[in-house]
Amino acid sequence: MLQVFKLPDLGEGLTESELLSWKVAVGDSVQLNQVIAEVETAKAVVELPSPYEGVVADLLAEPGQTVPVGDPIVSFQISSEHDAAAPVSSAATGNAVVEEEEERRQPTLVGYGAEVAQKGRPQRRARATVGAAVGAADSAPQAGGVVVLERPRETVTERPRSTPPVRKFARDSGVNLELVTGTGAAGLITREDVENFIKPSAAPAAPPAAATVAATATTVAPSLVTASGVAGARETRTPIKGVRKATAAAMVSSAFTAPHVTEFLTVDVTKSMKLIRSLKENKEFAGVRLGPMTIVAKVVSMGLMRHPELNSRWDEAAGEIVTPNYVNLGIAAATPRGLMVPNIKDAQSMSLCELADALTDLVVTAREGKSSPEQLTQGTFTITNVGVFGVDAGTPIINPGEAAILAMGQVRKQPWAHKGKIKLREVMTLSLSFDHRLVDGEQGSKFLSELGAVLEDPASLMTLV
């Protein structure tokens, strides 16, 4: 029996994923929950386990292809002994519906949850065609001068298939998707289909093969060749997708939704740096990676419990301000896939040593592209360390769904007034951006000032306990 596996939702609410690689080939035997592929969502690289035990019959998507959720990606040949559990006999139950329901029941697959009772995609409300509406109007009853159009079932059509981003793009461009022909899988309308529809009708015919175009351009005007990965090309074009695409959308949304305010504070962190050096010599911290980020993360986690406004979020739909009684501390990490912000759950309850270990694991996992969807969601406050790049300060953009973000500048030695004298001290600049809908200037200033005071004198941390 042939079984087709469709790309699942993965529990992130995303509409598509990019297939990175196959871990199996046609003809391979696979076990239930065996990893068969790696896909990249807008948040992380996710391993897909096999939903069946059998033999790979066909791979329906290619590495590098962006696949909409619900589209087929692989088919399996399932032997009879591995088929779904035999249905309850209709003779025994006297009910054919019960038999059909039993056929649908499958063991819960790791990572995908229980199968829903309804198969296929959610049913869309059908629309009547123009001809159907006109035909119905001839016999439709009238009330108060209003013509009521009845839609005969046999004349209705389904809404054109496309993804939410494509529908929004079409709507913003004034394009009726019912007039666009989809070239994607099963007639799916892609962004390119909409763009081609928008182009003037007098546009030239489709260009010749890419190789011919490249050869012609090189012969006529080599300096005008635009390509990706072509030696000597003057431009390189990289598709906007994955983490980069999601980050761009999130940052634009945050910058133009939350009214940002940024405050700066330069502090003498000489004592904090001495504390870090002394802790590294302590046997209890043997093998633990300590740095300025560790100390700042600890102080921030404690400070947010004293200043909960900076740990809240704005719920526009509910018309409420939600304030968690915990801190899920996000750490901005630069990775080969782009900027990612995994978070440490319940950071406020961790010791300094536990927090240091959690920070190390979090960053390493993010750089390897193995952060789980759970680690990348539900953050309440973010810290970004621009100092590792030799930068003193900046105006960080708030992570969507949070109230504030703190940027740490580099620790540098410079002349500083200390005990009435000018001395060479270790100094760092902190930059705090916050959502002015949630945080007033007074609240943000007090939080930043308190953070700076503890970094200048770590012993004062005891006053916060």
Side-chain angles (χ1 to χ4, degrees), residues 54-331:
V55 177
V56 178
D58 194 11
L59 302 179
L60 307 176
E62 298 292 333
Q65 179 180 344
T66 299
V67 183
V69 170
D71 275 16
I73 58 174
V74 61
S75 61
F76 299 90
Q77 190 64 43
I78 310 298
S79 60
S80 57
E81 66 256 28
H82 294 145
D83 287 346
V88 179
S89 170
S90 58
T93 63
N95 190 338
V97 176
V98 174
E99 177 180 357
E100 182 180 352
E101 280 300 316
E102 289 296 328
E103 288 181 329
R104 294 178 182 174
R105 295 176 185 173
Q106 301 283 347
T108 299
L109 180 66
V110 173
Y112 301 141
E115 181 182 4
V116 294
Q118 177 180 325
K119 291 184 178 181
R121 294 192 174 195
Q123 296 296 318
R124 299 186 178 96
R125 183 174 60 188
R127 293 181 177 179
T129 60
V130 176
V134 173
D138 294 338
S139 57
Q142 298 187 8
V146 178
V147 178
V148 181
L149 301 182
E150 297 179 354
R151 297 181 175 180
R153 180 177 295 273
E154 62 274 12
T155 59
V156 298
T157 59
E158 184 181 306
R159 182 174 65 174
R161 293 183 64 246
S162 63
T163 60
V166 173
R167 287 197 290 271
K168 182 180 185 302
F169 175 67
R171 184 170 60 252
D172 294 343
S173 303
V175 174
N176 183 355
L177 287 179
E178 294 181 355
L179 304 178
V180 180
T181 301
T183 61
L188 182 76
I189 297 175
T190 65
R191 183 184 179 94
E192 289 72 19
D193 294 331
V194 178
E195 291 174 342
N196 290 335
F197 182 84
I198 298 174
K199 291 179 181 178
S201 57
T212 305
V213 173
T216 303
T218 304
T219 302
V220 178
S223 62
L224 298 180
V225 176
T226 300
S228 179
V230 179
R234 288 173 61 82
E235 293 181 350
T236 299
R237 291 181 175 265
T238 304
I240 303 173
K241 57 185 179 181
V243 173
R244 177 64 60 189
K245 182 177 180 180
T247 301
M251 292 299 98
V252 170
S253 175
S254 176
F256 291 96
T257 301
H260 282 55
V261 174
T262 304
E263 295 184 343
F264 304 89
L265 178 65
T266 301
V267 296
D268 179 357
V269 294
T270 304
K271 290 185 178 181
S272 288
M273 298 305 294
K274 287 182 178 178
L275 173 63
I276 292 172
R277 289 188 284 269
S278 65
L279 289 176
K280 288 181 178 180
E281 298 175 358
N282 190 314
K283 63 179 181 179
E284 293 186 6
F285 286 86
V288 177
R289 186 174 180 178
L290 293 173
M293 171 66 82
T294 314
I295 303 297
V296 172
K298 180 61 178 177
V299 180
V300 164
S301 298
M302 298 181 66
L304 290 174
M305 301 306 292
R306 292 168 54 88
H307 301 278
E309 302 86 3
L310 286 95
N311 195 50
S312 59
R313 69 177 183 271
W314 185 276
D315 191 335
E316 184 71 33
E320 298 174 337
I321 293 175
V322 183
T323 305
N325 296 317
Y326 55 85
V327 176
N328 289 347
L329 188 62
I331 305 298

